[in-house]
Amino acid sequence: MLDARRSLGSVSSPSILEWGYRFILFPIGQMLVFIVGAALFLTLLAFLLALAFPEPRPNIVLMDQVNRQLPGMIISGITIGFVYAMIALGYTLVYGVLKFINFAHSEIFMVGSVVGFEVMQRLSEAGHLPSWSPVLLVVVVVLAAMLASGLLAVLIERVAYRPLRGAPRLVPLISAIGISFFMVDLVRAVEAITRNDFNLTYPLNSLEWVRNPVKLAIGENTVNIRPTQFIVVLGAVVTLIALNYFVNGTKLGRGIRAVSQDMTTAGLMGINVNRMISLTFFVGGAFGGAAGALFGMNVGTVTPFVGFIPGIKAFTAAVLGGIGNVTGALLGGLTLGLVESFLNGLLVYFPALGQRYTDVFAFSVLILILIFRPSGLLGERVDEKV
Amino acid sequence: MAVKSSVQQNSRAMFRAALKRPAVVGSLLVAYILVAVLILNSLDRSNLWFPFYSTLTFPVLVLSPFIILAAPVRGWFKGVLVAALLFLVIPYLGMRDSSYLELVIQICIFAGLALGLNIVVGFAGLLDLGYIAFFAVGAYTWAMFTSGASTVFNINGWLVSGSAFYLFIFLGIFVAAIVGILLGLPVLRLRGDYLAIVTLGFGEMIRVIANNLDQPINFTNGSQGLFGVGRPPVPFFLRDGVLAVESALGLSIANVDPLSQQLLFYFIAIAIIGVIIVVARRLDNSPIGRAWTAIREDEVAAIAMGVPLVRMKLLAFATGASFAGAIGVIYAAKQTFVSPESFSLIQSISILAMVIVGGMGGIRGALLGAVIVTMLNLLVLKNLSLQINALRNIDFVIPIINYHIRDWPTQLEPAKYERLIFGLLLIVMMIFRPAGLLPEPRRRMELQEKDEEIVDEEISSEAGDEQPVVSAVRPDAEQA
C-alpha cells in the first residue's frame, strides 16, 4: 500500500482520477490481492492435508470438515488478520523511524480495548445505547480509543524513550519492557478502584443488531457472519486507507518518511524531527487503539492482560512482512490471521497436537522467519554498518 | 564565636577521622547488626502493626552484608562478620520465626538466578527474556523423577529417592546447559531487540510445552503441576544441632523436622550461591570473560579481533542456563510442587529487574539487585497486603483524611501488583541510572559513551580531521 522507501515525490494536487486511484482503489486492490492470495494458498494446503490424512480420527472425514468449515475459517481469519495488521502497523511505523521495537505497543493496544469498553459502558449506563445508530456508536468508540491510545503512545515516547535516544540499544528496549509491565498493572489498579473487577465485558448483548448474525448461503451450508466481524473489517479498511493517504499524500506524512530515511538530513532540511517522531507514535498508537476497540467488540470481554498475545502475534506479523515496511505489516497480519484461523479450525482433528499449541505456532513462525529470512517477505536486506 | 566554630570543626574532623578507623567502623557494624537482630527478636507476631514493623526492620538486616563489604575494615573482619551473619544470625532468626528463613531462601534462589542471567545479559550483552525456561528445566528434571503425580515415571516405577538430590543438581546443570545450547544455536545471528523477542518466545514455548505435556504421554502432569516432589534427607547432625540449640537457648520450636529441612535448604542454597559467585568471578577475569565483554561492546570488532563468536555466545547461554538449572532443582525440592504457572514471563522480567537494579555485569550488583527486588516483591508488597487486611478486619480509620480501610477495593491487593514495581524499577533505572546501583566500571563507561562521542567529534572537527575512523558510534546508535 505504501512504502517508506518510495521516492518522496511531489504532493502537488493530482487530478481527481489519479487521486482516487492512488489513495482509494490501489490500497483496496492490494488488500484484496493479499486476502485472496493468502486464503487460496491456505485452502490449497487444507485440501492437501485432507488428502494426506483422510481420517485423522475414526468416523471423521477431514475433507468434509474442511468443506464445511472453510468459509467460516476464512472470515474469522480475515477479521483477526486485520486486527493483527493494525497492531503491526504501530510496530512497523515506530521501527521505521527509530529503528527500535516498541515493546509497549501491545499495552497501547490493550488500553485501546479498555477505553473502548469504558466509553461503551458509560454510554450504556447513560441509556444511549439503544437509541444510537450502530455506525455512530462504533465511530465514537473507535475514535475515543484511537485518541486515548495515540496520546498515551506520545506520552510514553516523551517520558521513557526520548531521554534515552542515542543510548546503547538495550537501554530503550528495557525501558519499553518496563513500560509494558507498568501499564498492565496501572490499568488493573484503575479498574480495581473504579469497578473492582478486571473482566470488562462490552455491553453489546443489549443491542438488537449485534445479536442477529448475517446468514450467507454457500452451497448447502450457511455461514454465520457476526456483525462485529463486519465492523472490524470495515473499520480496519477505512482506517488503513486513511493511513495510506496520511503517509503518502500529506506534507506531514512526507515528513515522517523523510525522518525514517535519514533523521539527521531531515533535521537539516527544516523538519522538526522530534515532532515527527511524536506524530509517528501518535499514529501508531491510534492504530493500536483502534485495533483494541475493534478487537474488544469482536471478542466481547477484555482484561488488562489482553495485550500480550495479540502483541506478540502482531509483532510476528510485522517481522513476517518485513519490519519497517507498511505494506508488509498488512500482508503479514492478514497471512498470520488466516493461518491461525485455519490451525484453530483443523488442529482439533489431530488429537496428539490439538489447539493447545496454536500460540506456540506464532512463536515458531517468528523464530523461523528471523533465522531464515530476517528481512521478512517484503523487506530488503540491510547490511550492518560499522 | 570563632572559638566555638573551631571546636565544632575540630570535633567534626575528629568524627570523620574516627569513621576511617577500622576498629570504630567494625564496632559500629557489629552494633548495627546486633540492634537489627534485637529489634527483629522483640517483634510480636500478634501485634496489629507487625507486618509494618517487620517490613521496616528485616531489610536492614538483609542489606547489612553489602554495608559490611563496602565498609573500610580489614578483609578478614568482613569475612568473619558475613560468615557470622550467614551461619549464626540468620539460622537463629529462622528458628525464632521460620518465615524469615523462608524469605532468605527465596532471596538466595533469586540471587542464583540473577547471577546466571548476569552472565548472559551483563557479561555477554545478550538480552534474554526467557531465562526462566532454564530454571523450569532444572525444576522439572528433579520433579519428574520424584513426584507422586501419576506421570509416566511414577507408573513405570522410574522414581528415584530423595538422596539422589545432590546427583540431580549436577544433572540439572547438565540438562539446562544442553537446553541453553539448543536454544542458543538458532538465535546466534540475532542481536538486540530480535534476540529479546525470540528468547521471550522460547521461554513461553517451554511453559506451554510443560503445560501440555500430559498428553499423549504424561510427563509433566500438565497444568495441575507435579506435587509431592521429593526432598533430600536431613542429615542427623543438622537435626541434632537444631535440638541442641533449642535447649541451650531455651527456645521452643514447634516442629523441628520442617525447620531442619528448611535449614538444610538454606545451607545448600548458600553453598550453591558461593560456588556460582566463585565461578562467575573466575570467568569474568578469564579470556572467556574478556571475549564476552568484547562481544558485548562491539560484535563486529570482536569477530575482527578473532573472538570465536559462536563458541563464546553458546558458552554464555550454557553457563547462564546451568546456574538456573541447579537452582531449579533446589527450588523444586523446596517447594515440593512445580507447575507451569511458576515459570511465566513475569518471573523472567523480575530476574531481569534484579540484574538491572544492581548493575549489569557486576557480581555484587546482581546480588544486591536480587535482595532488593525479592524483598520488594515478597516482603514489602506482601506485608502491605497483610497490613491492609489486618486493618480492614478491625475497621481501622485513617485519622485526618477519615478514610475507612474497609473501603479499600478488594481487587487492589498490593501483593498482586508486582508488575507495577518491576516495570517502574526498569523505567526509573534506565532513565536515571542505567549502570545500576553498584555499577561495574567498564559497563559504566560504555553507558556514558554518548557524551564521550560528542567530545570525540568536537576534538576531531577542531583538529580539522575527517570523521574519526574508529569512533565509539555503534551502528544502531548512529541511526537512532
Side-chain angles (χ1 to χ4, degrees):
Chain A
M1 176 169 46
L2 41 90
D3 186 347
R5 299 262 163 194
R6 195 192 290 168
S7 80
L8 293 173
S10 74
V11 283
S12 63
S13 56
S15 77
I16 185 82
L17 272 179
E18 198 190 331
W19 192 92
Y21 169 74
R22 259 177 69 190
F23 297 124
I24 297 182
L25 279 183
F26 185 70
I28 291 184
Q30 213 168 25
M31 285 182 214
L32 275 179
V33 168
F34 288 161
I35 292 172
V36 172
L40 277 182
F41 179 67
L42 283 168
T43 310
L44 193 69
L45 279 188
F47 280 130
L48 284 180
L49 188 77
L51 288 177
F53 303 94
E55 267 195 43
R57 275 187 186 182
N59 299 326
I60 287 182
V61 181
L62 191 57
M63 192 58 94
D64 293 352
Q65 298 297 336
V66 171
N67 275 329
R68 199 170 54 77
Q69 290 191 11
L70 201 55
M73 287 194 301
I74 290 177
I75 288 165
S76 71
I78 292 170
T79 315
I80 193 71
F82 269 115
V83 172
Y84 290 160
M86 289 175 80
I87 311 172
L89 278 175
Y91 283 110
T92 247
L93 283 173
V94 168
Y95 190 89
V97 173
L98 285 183
K99 302 286 175 287
F100 146 77
I101 295 170
N102 183 7
F103 215 93
H105 192 62
S106 54
E107 265 39 74
I108 291 169
F109 162 80
M110 176 273 288
V111 167
S113 72
V114 171
V115 168
F117 159 79
E118 285 290 338
V119 171
M120 203 177 246
Q121 181 70 27
R122 296 273 149 88
L123 288 175
S124 166
E125 280 160 12
H128 289 310
L129 273 199
S131 57
W132 282 27
S133 79
V135 176
L136 179 66
L137 181 68
V138 171
V139 167
V140 165
V141 168
V142 170
L143 277 184
M146 285 177 90
L147 194 66
S149 292
L151 291 178
L152 178 72
V154 172
L155 182 75
I156 289 176
E157 192 269 334
R158 212 37 188 275
V159 172
Y161 304 155
R162 190 173 297 177
L164 305 176
R165 214 177 285 159
R169 201 171 187 167
L170 284 189
V171 171
L173 182 64
I174 292 171
S175 174
I177 295 168
I179 288 277
S180 165
F181 275 77
F182 178 72
M183 286 306 303
V184 171
D185 263 5
L186 190 68
V187 171
R188 213 152 67 100
V190 170
E191 292 302 326
I193 292 167
T194 55
R195 300 194 186 276
N196 208 11
D197 189 13
F198 308 131
N199 292 316
L200 312 170
T201 306
Y202 277 65
L204 286 166
N205 281 334
S206 60
L207 296 173
E208 187 67 32
W209 54 271
V210 174
R211 271 175 292 169
N212 297 330
V214 180
K215 289 192 167 48
L216 198 69
I218 297 175
E220 63 250 41
N221 302 320
T222 49
V223 186
N224 290 340
I225 306 177
R226 283 179 290 127
T228 48
Q229 289 179 319
F230 268 124
I231 293 173
V232 172
V233 175
L234 260 180
V237 170
V238 169
T239 43
L240 286 170
I241 289 175
L243 176 82
N244 178 40
Y245 174 70
F246 174 74
V247 178
N248 282 336
T250 64
K251 209 173 167 186
L252 285 174
R254 194 154 46 141
I256 291 182
R257 279 182 293 149
V259 172
S260 87
Q261 279 194 5
D262 190 329
M263 195 182 284
T264 323
T265 314
L268 292 174
M269 297 293 142
I271 294 171
N272 185 338
V273 173
N274 274 338
R275 192 179 294 164
M276 285 305 140
I277 291 173
S278 288
L279 188 67
T280 310
F281 269 87
F282 181 81
V283 173
F287 262 80
L294 293 172
F295 175 83
M297 277 188 253
N298 191 31
V299 300
T301 302
V302 295
T303 69
F305 302 104
V306 85
F308 178 66
I309 291 287
I312 282 285
K313 287 181 182 162
F315 176 74
T316 308
V319 174
L320 177 64
I323 197 153
N325 183 320
V326 179
T327 317
L330 184 65
L331 173 63
L334 286 170
T335 311
L336 201 73
L338 279 164
V339 169
E340 188 185 305
S341 163
F342 272 72
L343 282 179
N344 264 332
L346 296 179
L347 273 186
V348 194
Y349 303 114
F350 296 89
L353 290 169
Q355 282 173 306
R356 302 168 301 174
Y357 288 106
T358 321
D359 286 348
V360 170
F361 173 77
F363 288 123
S364 322
V365 169
L366 176 64
I367 292 163
L368 290 177
I369 306 164
L370 285 177
I371 292 167
F372 292 110
R373 196 177 157 79
S375 50
L377 294 176
L378 300 183
E380 39 198 280
R381 190 172 285 272
V382 184
D383 286 325
E384 194 183 349
K385 297 180 210 162
V386 181
Chain B
M1 285 297 280
V3 175
K4 195 179 173 189
S5 75
S6 82
V7 168
Q8 251 180 4
Q9 270 179 3
N10 231 344
S11 62
R12 242 183 238 163
M14 273 169 65
F15 185 63
R16 268 198 215 121
L19 270 189
K20 281 185 185 131
R21 286 175 57 188
V24 178
V25 178
S27 39
L28 275 179
L29 283 176
V30 173
Y32 171 92
I33 294 172
L34 281 181
V35 167
V37 173
L38 283 178
I39 295 176
L40 276 175
N41 224 350
S42 65
L43 289 184
D44 180 10
R45 215 157 235 291
S46 56
N47 187 317
L48 173 67
W49 295 96
F50 173 78
F52 180 69
Y53 291 140
S54 78
T55 309
L56 281 187
T57 41
F58 194 62
V60 171
L61 186 74
V62 180
L63 287 173
S64 59
F66 298 96
I67 298 170
I68 295 171
L69 288 179
V73 287
R74 295 214 173 79
W76 63 265
F77 188 70
K78 290 182 186 178
V80 169
L81 267 189
V82 173
L85 203 68
L86 289 182
F87 296 107
L88 295 177
V89 173
I90 288 174
Y92 166 73
L93 278 178
M95 285 182 200
R96 293 269 312 179
D97 187 339
S98 61
S99 69
Y100 293 132
L101 196 59
E102 169 73 24
L103 188 58
V104 175
I105 297 174
Q106 292 284 353
I107 290 176
C108 287
I109 285 173
F110 282 113
L113 292 175
L115 285 168
L117 185 63
N118 188 38
I119 299 251
V120 187
V121 178
F123 289 1
L126 308 163
L127 184 56
D128 186 348
L129 295 185
Y131 185 68
I132 204 72
F134 308 125
F135 181 60
V137 167
Y140 270 102
T141 305
W142 173 242
M144 284 197 295
F145 279 96
T146 54
S147 164
S150 58
T151 59
V152 61
F153 300 94
N154 197 355
I155 291 165
N156 294 336
W158 295 337
L159 297 189
V160 296
S161 78
S163 48
F165 176 76
Y166 303 99
L167 184 72
F168 265 75
I169 290 185
F170 291 99
L171 194 64
I173 291 174
F174 182 69
V175 175
I178 298 276
V179 175
I181 291 174
L182 287 181
L183 295 195
L185 269 176
V187 300
L188 278 176
R189 274 170 42 186
L190 309 175
R191 61 183 68 194
D193 329 22
Y194 284 119
L195 181 77
I197 299 243
V198 170
T199 48
L200 183 154
F202 274 135
E204 287 293 289
M205 275 164 86
I206 294 258
R207 189 176 63 83
V208 173
I209 288 170
N211 210 353
N212 291 321
L213 217 58
D214 52 345
Q215 285 174 3
I217 302 169
N218 187 357
F219 283 104
T220 63
N221 212 24
S223 56
Q224 292 170 1
L226 294 167
F227 47 83
V229 178
R231 310 184 123 186
V234 180
F236 64 92
F237 55 84
L238 190 64
R239 194 172 180 279
D240 292 351
V242 171
L243 288 174
V245 172
E246 182 190 10
S247 59
L249 292 179
L251 298 171
S252 60
I253 296 170
N255 9 8
V256 175
D257 287 325
L259 181 79
S260 7
Q261 186 81 58
Q262 285 288 73
L263 274 177
L264 177 67
F265 281 121
Y266 171 69
F267 290 124
I268 292 173
I270 291 279
I272 292 274
I273 300 290
V275 172
I276 287 179
I277 290 175
V278 171
V279 171
R281 182 165 286 172
R282 298 295 299 157
L283 278 174
D284 197 18
N285 291 331
S286 71
I288 295 172
R290 284 192 285 278
W292 284 339
T293 312
I295 293 173
R296 181 184 77 197
E297 305 282 318
D298 192 332
E299 210 172 290
V300 179
I303 300 171
M305 298 307 292
V307 171
L309 194 71
V310 172
R311 206 190 304 159
M312 285 304 150
K313 275 193 173 178
L314 287 183
L315 196 62
F317 272 115
T319 316
S322 61
F323 291 175
I327 300 284
V329 173
I330 297 174
Y331 173 82
K334 193 191 83 67
Q335 299 293 93
T336 68
F337 175 68
V338 172
S339 86
E341 299 308 305
S342 322
F343 310 108
S344 53
L345 178 65
I346 180 74
Q347 300 290 337
S348 289
I349 299 297
S350 77
I351 301 166
L352 180 68
M354 292 168 195
V355 176
I356 302 284
V357 166
M360 282 186 276
I363 290 166
R364 206 182 285 182
L367 290 172
L368 179 67
V371 170
I372 291 177
V373 174
T374 313
M375 276 199 309
L376 272 178
N377 188 14
L378 294 181
L379 184 78
V380 177
L381 287 184
K382 206 181 214 172
N383 276 349
L384 211 55
S385 281
L386 289 175
Q387 190 68 66
I388 288 172
N389 282 336
L391 293 177
R392 194 202 302 273
N393 285 340
I394 61 150
D395 191 13
F396 184 81
V397 181
I398 296 176
I400 303 155
I401 56 170
N402 206 15
Y403 179 79
H404 291 259
I405 291 284
R406 63 161 184 225
D407 294 340
W408 187 271
T410 48
Q411 291 290 345
L412 195 64
E413 199 178 323
K416 289 180 184 157
Y417 283 78
E418 69 275 77
R419 284 179 185 79
L420 197 81
I421 299 291
F422 297 156
L424 212 55
L425 276 179
L426 290 180
I427 304 164
V428 168
M429 291 306 295
M430 281 301 110
I431 292 177
F432 296 108
R433 224 183 142 94
L437 293 179
L438 289 179
E440 191 247 357
R442 204 167 2 182
R443 186 84 197 178
R444 189 168 48 193
M445 271 157 57
E446 188 199 344
L447 287 164
Q448 285 168 351
E449 194 173 85
K450 190 187 156 199
D451 307 333
E452 288 160 24
E453 254 168 56
I454 296 163
V455 176
D456 272 0
E457 276 168 20
E458 273 169 10
I459 291 169
S460 62
S461 60
E462 273 169 23
D465 282 351
E466 288 179 2
Q467 281 288 307
V469 181
V470 186
S471 77
V473 183
R474 299 178 133 228
D476 39 59
E478 196 178 63
Q479 297 161 0

